[in-house]
Amino acid sequence: MQNTNVWTPGAPGPHDEFVRNLHQQIAGQGEDVAVSIELTDGSLYHLISISPRPGFGFITLQPHPEGEEPQEVVVPIAQIALFRIGKAEPRVRPGFALPVKEPS
């Protein structure tokens, strides 16, 4: 089966302006903002930063370093399905559990 949804590099677009406007929208949410992005293939990244580079239809995402996620992901703008911008929730880290002492 042939993929008819092929993206070709070189798509025109003001990548700097797109990312600058996105940064302004994020800044408008105040402090402790969480940003995640979902791509059309279902990939979900919780982001530290977004850069308009390298351009030519691509932007660079820096995801939070969880598990085996990469340090940077360069994606075509056309593959962005959804941005989520909202209040950051504190991450819960599992603590150490001591064994329960049984009554003597």
Side-chain angles (χ1 to χ4, degrees):
M1 177 161 55
Q2 201 174 31
N3 184 356
T4 58
N5 196 16
V6 176
W7 180 85
T8 305
H15 304 93
D16 291 331
E17 185 178 350
F18 170 75
V19 173
R20 185 174 46 253
N21 289 343
L22 187 57
H23 284 162
Q24 288 174 352
Q25 186 171 355
I26 293 166
Q29 297 293 313
E31 294 185 21
D32 297 325
V33 176
V35 178
S36 60
I37 185 172
E38 185 175 338
L39 303 180
T40 57
D41 69 358
S43 300
L44 178 65
Y45 295 101
H46 303 286
L47 302 180
I48 295 172
S49 69
I50 304 167
S51 167
R53 302 290 173 242
F56 301 100
F58 291 88
I59 61 173
T60 300
L61 311 173
Q62 184 183 12
H64 281 280
E66 296 177 8
E68 298 297 317
E69 291 183 8
Q71 292 181 353
E72 290 186 336
V73 181
V74 178
V75 299
I77 290 177
Q79 294 299 311
I80 297 170
L82 176 70
F83 276 102
R84 290 185 182 99
I85 304 169
K87 182 88 173 137
E89 295 182 20
R91 294 181 182 248
V92 177
R93 297 184 186 272
F96 186 84
L98 293 171
V100 177
K101 290 185 182 181
E102 293 189 25
S104 316

